[in-house]
Amino acid sequence: MRQEVKHFSDLDALSQAALEILADALNEQGQTAQNHTFALALSGGSTPKTLFKLMGLPQNSSRLELRDLHYFWADERCVGPTEPQSNYKLAIDLFLNKVLPPPGNLHRIPGELPPKEAAHAYRNDLRGFFHHNASQDTVADFNLIFLGLGGDGHTASLFPGSPALDETKAWVDVATAPASSPVPGRVTLTYPVINNAHTVVFLVSGMDKKPVLEEILAGT
């Protein structure tokens, strides 16, 4: 597994670089694979907003319409798809309502359901898309996953101390955010799925992330 850390002058430069990673991955998939279907997982939070806006610009959205691109989410808050806290709504508002993928290409986590039911439904959606039987010891293989980083070190909804951190087989799990979060209930992809993706990109910005990022990069 190759790890690369890149530094950028500002959030705009970071977001443009992320867009180019996506464009290059789509191009590579289209040129080298018999199956051009591309599985992308998105995250919420403040950092990807600039990337999403770039993806919604006409000159960029046309690049995303050329492939059989399927959108998934790395995690979701347990709210309905029209609630302001919804990661799905964030992507819809900022770019998906401009790209207009076919409805069957949007694989949202049904956050309006009770957490365990939402996790079960999303797990079934993933297994159907990736053509994996529940009895097989295999893992979903995303082409690309965009993730962020919280000030406490969490990514997706894998929070420090969460039992979900110890999951080694399940693709999807329920999680609980800190009590200070307005929506503590979450559904998240797990480490096995994240680690099995072809490419994972962590978008990190803001001075409040610096201490925990330094710890992560130092391996402590």
Side-chain angles (χ1 to χ4, degrees):
M1 182 181 298
R2 182 172 64 91
Q3 176 179 302
E4 186 176 3
V5 179
K6 294 185 177 181
H7 301 267
F8 300 92
S9 58
D10 54 35
L11 184 55
D12 288 339
L14 169 71
S15 302
Q16 184 63 46
L19 178 65
E20 294 308 317
I21 289 174
L22 172 58
D24 289 345
L26 285 167
N27 186 57
E28 177 185 355
Q29 179 77 356
Q31 290 181 351
T32 62
Q34 291 182 346
N35 178 11
H36 293 178
T37 301
F38 191 97
L40 169 68
L42 305 171
S43 294
S46 58
T47 300
K49 288 182 178 179
T50 303
L51 169 61
F52 290 172
K53 290 176 181 177
L54 284 175
M55 292 168 70
L57 294 177
Q59 64 269 32
N60 296 325
S61 61
S62 61
R63 300 159 80 182
L64 305 181
E65 294 169 353
L66 299 177
R67 310 294 182 196
D68 190 11
L69 177 53
H70 286 252
Y71 297 89
F72 296 81
W73 276 260
D75 69 321
E76 183 59 276
R77 300 175 176 93
C78 290
V79 296
T82 61
E83 295 296 322
Q85 301 92 341
S86 167
N87 291 339
Y88 171 81
K89 176 177 168 55
L90 180 71
I92 288 288
D93 289 349
L94 294 183
F95 83 95
L96 286 174
N97 62 355
K98 301 177 179 68
V99 176
L100 297 176
N105 287 33
L106 296 177
H107 304 263
R108 73 177 184 89
I109 301 171
E112 68 274 18
L113 299 178
K116 289 186 178 180
E117 291 184 25
H120 180 73
Y122 195 47
R123 188 182 304 116
N124 287 342
D125 189 0
L126 291 174
R127 289 197 177 278
F129 178 83
F130 290 105
H131 306 294
H132 288 320
N133 189 287
S135 63
Q136 295 176 329
D137 189 20
T138 55
V139 182
D141 43 355
F142 280 92
N143 297 90
L144 175 61
I145 300 178
F146 281 126
L147 293 174
L149 179 71
D152 60 358
H154 83 269
T155 191
S157 282
L158 298 169
F159 293 91
S162 169
L165 298 175
D166 300 321
E167 184 55 61
T168 60
K169 291 186 178 181
W171 296 8
V172 182
D173 205 352
V174 297
T176 303
S180 57
S181 171
V183 185
R186 308 287 180 94
V187 174
T188 184
L189 294 180
T190 60
Y191 275 139
V193 172
I194 294 171
N195 287 340
N196 197 51
H198 183 274
T199 303
V200 180
V201 177
F202 294 88
L203 305 176
V204 185
S205 67
M207 289 299 294
D208 59 314
K209 312 288 180 63
K210 183 178 180 180
V212 72
L213 180 60
E214 290 177 342
E215 289 188 49
I216 291 169
L217 295 179
T220 57

